[in-house]
């Protein structure tokens, strides 16, 4: 059917399309790797090395004489402050590097916690069915409809602001999306012949849930987890921006943006650079998530 | 007369049909409606019928995947609903294993063959891994796969090979009874005979009993000792395999035999002997009055739509038809 000279008929994609496709994988990967390196090596003190790192300044040291300096590549900027300084004379570049730490680690921890809770409840709900299912799904509905901001404010009042308050606020409601999706997948797999086979053999509920159902939903789980990276960074930034997140002076991207809000007309660079970082990471996360979904989608894999 | 290993007595499965906001029950699907049969030790009983006749529901009831609506199932003389949970796990489940119709969906695609076949042993014993895998190797040798297939995944095998793996898994606990739910109907015709030979060999070697579910009389003739013909949730004829083939009593059995012989072209030449049923099987939601087969029967009489026929014993056969007094 296909002649030797018709190789294109196999791939179905032109050279240009393929280049664009691979760029949508390569560029986001590079962005992600850079961000992770930044977060890890902003300062090496935390792994027992001397107190040096990528960040040229202590992110919290103030310097009144150098306040509101523009970035070094703009007229009036000092070469010492690559991305300029804020109204207290703190180095924006160092603050953005340190901020990556908070933003990325919050999103990572929250994703792990919510994925574990959501997966367990989702499988339980889908496999057990009946009252267990009804109960878990009603709780899920509540979690999905509860305003996240309100909860964050309640926690802020109840246990005070801080890193773990943000993690808690995002985790308490975040599992519900996973639970719902995993439940649907579990319902589908519960009806499959190999689960019936396991029941005939006398396998325990636990075994069926984790040896039979879980390995078959792990693809979908990875896909939502990657897509959640962007969501969680945005959520953390939003909370910090509103002052419900990380306490000053610790920098997080959201709180630096909030810091610069009042000086936007005079010193746009304070808010702009952390904002760009948020945008880049969220976009990279979404591109990677899409790519992984395409790769792992079982319908595509079977072809 | 050999011992009875499994007896089904008047088993029934009705599924409720619900409608509306309040999920009121508006009717019942009579999937299985009063079926009785026995499986003898070391023998094969085949349940044959069209799709929708309730064969698979019966298999599921025996495997405890569906509850009985009423009736009893006795295993070695004991009502299986009287077993305690631990007795079920120890005495019943390991002794009743199954091979399913579709070898592509009956294995977890994420498990290696050694875990697929070894799962029954892992679940029911506390043997260490390497001993279980030794057993698995022997089982695979026995079904003609070879122990080297152990660490591969199910999708690396063909349909016939997968069905052999499924048989190995079913044999893993040395059961008394295998429920074979259309064991060959998903396979290529050329491979069917191999699998049936394998099952026959295992039966003689281990004195296994089989309950075979099938829709094609021709395939089960070869391996059955007795055959039960099902129509719309009920048995219509039940008897020893050879007797039933030589002297089919029920018009439906005759139609099925006629249909199965059509597979050979030389048999089809004599078209005067062919019985071709018209129409579909009626809905089990609202079965026909009287004899359930009367809407499609070629020998229908007035009485058939009015009175429900009783099961009558004619020689060694049992038949449910008004033609026999």
């Amino acid at each position: 059917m296909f002649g030797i000279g018709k190789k294109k008929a196999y791939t179905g994609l032109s050279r240009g399309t393929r280049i664009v496709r691979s760029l949508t994988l390569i560029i986001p990967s590079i962005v992600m790797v850079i961000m992770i390196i930044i977060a890890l090596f902003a300062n090496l003190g935390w792994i027992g090395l001397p107190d040096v790192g990528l960040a040229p300044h202590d992110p919290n040291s103030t310097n009144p004489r150098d306040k509101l300096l523009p970035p070094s590549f703009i007229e009036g900027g000092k070469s010492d402050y690559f991305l300029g300084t804020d109204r207290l004379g703190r180095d924006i570049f160092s603050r953005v590097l340190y901020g990556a730490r908070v933003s990325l680690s919050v999103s990572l921890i929250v994703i792990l916690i919510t994925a574990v809770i959501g997966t367990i409840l989702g499988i339980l709900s889908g496999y057990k069915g009946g009252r267990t299912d009804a109960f878990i799904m009603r709780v899920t509905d509540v979690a999905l409809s509860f305003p996240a901001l309100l909860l964050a404010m309640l926690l802020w009042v109840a246990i005070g602001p801080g890193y773990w308050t943000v993690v808690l606020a995002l985790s308490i409601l975040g599992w519900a999306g996973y639970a719902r999706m995993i439940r649907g997948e579990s319902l589908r797999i519960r009806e499959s012949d190999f689960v019936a086979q396991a029941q005939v053999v006398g396998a325990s509920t636990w075994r069926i849930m984790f040896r039979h159902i879980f390995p078959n939903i792990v693809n979908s789980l990875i896909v939502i987890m990657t897509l959640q990276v962007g969501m969680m960074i945005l959520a953390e930034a939003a909370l910090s921006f509103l002052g419900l997140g990380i306490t000053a002076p610790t920098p997080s991207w959201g709180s630096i943006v909030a810091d610069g809000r009042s000086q936007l007309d005079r010193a746009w660079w304070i808010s702009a650079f952390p904002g760009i970082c948020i945008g880049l990471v969220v976009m990279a996360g979404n591109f990677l998530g899409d790519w992984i979904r395409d790769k792992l989608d079982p319908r595509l894999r079977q072809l | 007369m050999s011992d009875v290993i499994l007896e089904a007595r008047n088993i029934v499965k009705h599924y409720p049909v619900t409608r509306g906001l309040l999920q009121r029950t508006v009717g019942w699907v009579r999937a299985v409606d009063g079926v009785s049969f026995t499986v003898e030790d070391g023998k094969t009983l085949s349940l044959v019928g069209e799709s929708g006749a309730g064969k698979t529901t019966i298999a599921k009831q025996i495997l405890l995947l569906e509850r009985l609506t009423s009736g009893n199932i006795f295993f070695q003389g004991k009502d299986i609903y009287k077993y305690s949970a631990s007795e079920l796990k120890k005495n019943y489940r390991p002794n009743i294993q199954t091979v399913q119709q579709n070898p592509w969906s009956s294995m977890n695609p994420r498990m290696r063959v050694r875990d697929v076949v070894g799962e029954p042993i892992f679940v029911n014993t506390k043997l260490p891994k390497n001993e279980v895998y030794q057993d698995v190797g022997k089982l695979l040798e026995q079904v003609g796969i070879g122990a080297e297939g152990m660490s591969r995944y199910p999708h690396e095998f063909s349909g016939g090979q997968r069905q052999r793996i499924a048989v190995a898994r079913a044999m893993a606990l040395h059961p008394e009874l295998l429920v074979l739910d259309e064991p060959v109907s998903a396979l290529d015709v050329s491979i069917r005979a191999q699998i049936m030979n394998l099952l026959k060999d295992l039966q003689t070697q281990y004195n296994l009993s089989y309950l075979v579910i099938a829709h094609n009389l021709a395939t089960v003739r070869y391996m059955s000792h007795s055959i039960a013909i099902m129509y719309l949730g009920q048995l219509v004829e039940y008897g020893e395999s050879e007797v039933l083939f030589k002297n089919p009593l029920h018009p439906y059995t005759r139609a099925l035999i006629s249909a199965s012989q059509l597979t050979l072209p030389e048999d089809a030449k004599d078209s005067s002997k062919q019985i071709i049923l018209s129409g579909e099987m009626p809905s089990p939601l609202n079965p026909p009055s009287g004899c359930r087969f009367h809407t499609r029967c070629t020998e229908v009489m007035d009485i058939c739509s009015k009175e429900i026929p009783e099961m009558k014993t004619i020689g060694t056969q049992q038949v449910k038809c008004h033609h026999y007094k």
Side-chain angles (χ1 to χ4, degrees), chain A residues 7-8 10 24 32 42 45 58 60 106 116 197 243 250 272 277 297:
Chain A
K7 246 188 180 168
K8 267 185 190 163
Y10 290 100
T24 59
M32 271 297 176
D58 180 335
N60 296 328
V106 164
V116 169
Q197 284 276 4
T250 310
C277 285
D297 190 8

Side-chain angles (χ1 to χ4, degrees), chain A residues 9-271:
Chain A
Y10 290 100
T11 63
L13 296 173
S14 72
R15 198 179 147 82
T17 318
R18 266 180 289 135
I19 289 173
V20 170
R21 287 233 176 136
S22 48
L23 282 183
T24 59
L25 168 66
I26 293 166
I27 295 175
S29 306
I30 293 173
V31 170
M32 271 297 176
V33 169
I34 289 177
M35 289 299 174
I36 290 167
I37 289 174
I38 283 174
L40 288 178
F41 301 122
N43 168 289
L44 299 174
W46 63 283
I47 42 174
L49 292 169
D51 210 15
V52 290
L54 293 173
H57 297 271
D58 180 335
N60 296 328
S61 77
T62 56
N63 200 348
R65 274 179 302 159
D66 290 336
K67 65 181 180 181
L68 294 178
L69 283 177
S72 60
F73 46 86
I74 287 176
E75 209 185 322
K78 268 193 188 175
S79 62
D80 208 16
Y81 301 107
F82 176 47
L83 297 179
T85 59
D86 64 6
R87 67 193 147 89
L88 297 174
R90 295 178 294 194
D91 178 34
I92 297 297
F93 182 57
S94 303
R95 285 182 73 72
V96 168
L97 295 190
Y98 274 85
R101 226 171 235 198
V102 172
S103 295
L104 292 182
S105 68
V106 164
S107 97
L108 206 72
I109 293 172
V110 170
I111 286 170
L112 285 180
I113 294 175
T114 51
V116 169
I117 297 174
T119 305
I120 292 172
L121 290 178
I123 294 180
L124 205 63
S125 188
Y127 180 65
K128 283 275 195 175
R131 281 186 196 170
T132 321
D133 181 34
F135 178 73
I136 294 176
M137 279 304 111
R138 293 304 78 78
V139 179
T140 308
D141 288 341
V142 172
L144 284 173
S145 55
F146 201 87
L149 262 181
L150 182 63
L151 180 79
M153 271 155 63
L154 287 176
L155 286 173
W156 186 77
V157 171
I159 55 178
Y163 185 91
W164 293 105
T165 312
V166 179
V167 171
L168 199 62
L170 296 177
S171 301
I172 286 181
L173 301 178
W175 58 270
Y178 290 90
R180 220 183 226 178
M181 209 280 312
I182 298 291
R183 170 184 176 265
E185 292 281 285
S186 308
L187 273 179
R188 182 173 61 79
I189 292 159
R190 180 179 75 167
E191 299 304 323
S192 64
D193 286 347
F194 61 82
V195 170
Q197 284 276 4
Q199 287 167 338
V200 165
V201 153
S204 60
T205 304
W206 192 90
R207 187 184 170 89
I208 292 174
M209 278 173 39
F210 291 98
R211 290 299 305 269
H212 291 282
I213 295 181
F214 179 70
N216 286 287
I217 56 173
V218 100
N219 279 357
S220 327
L221 184 63
I222 289 172
V223 172
I224 5 177
M225 283 173 77
T226 30
L227 288 172
Q228 284 276 312
V229 172
M231 301 278 293
M232 285 302 130
I233 284 175
L234 273 183
E236 185 276 328
L239 288 183
S240 297
F241 180 80
L242 293 170
L244 296 170
I246 313 301
T247 37
T250 310
S252 99
W253 289 343
S255 66
I256 308 173
V257 173
D259 252 3
R261 197 177 50 133
S262 55
Q263 287 104 15
L264 261 185
D265 49 343
R266 286 177 294 162
W268 53 269
W269 52 87
I270 304 176
S271 296

Side-chain angles (χ1 to χ4, degrees), chain B residues 148-168:
Chain B
E148 63 276 6
M150 280 220 301
S151 48
R152 297 211 255 152
Y153 284 95
H155 70 257
E156 297 175 51
F157 293 90
S158 70
Q161 287 174 315
R162 286 181 139 214
Q163 206 61 323
R164 285 172 188 272
I165 295 169
V167 172

Side-chain angles (χ1 to χ4, degrees), chain B residues 79-93:
Chain B
D79 189 332
I80 61 169
Y81 278 78
K82 296 217 166 81
Y83 279 103
S84 68
S86 64
E87 278 178 313
L88 269 183
K89 189 159 163 46
K90 224 160 85 196
N91 299 331
Y92 186 70
R93 287 230 127 112

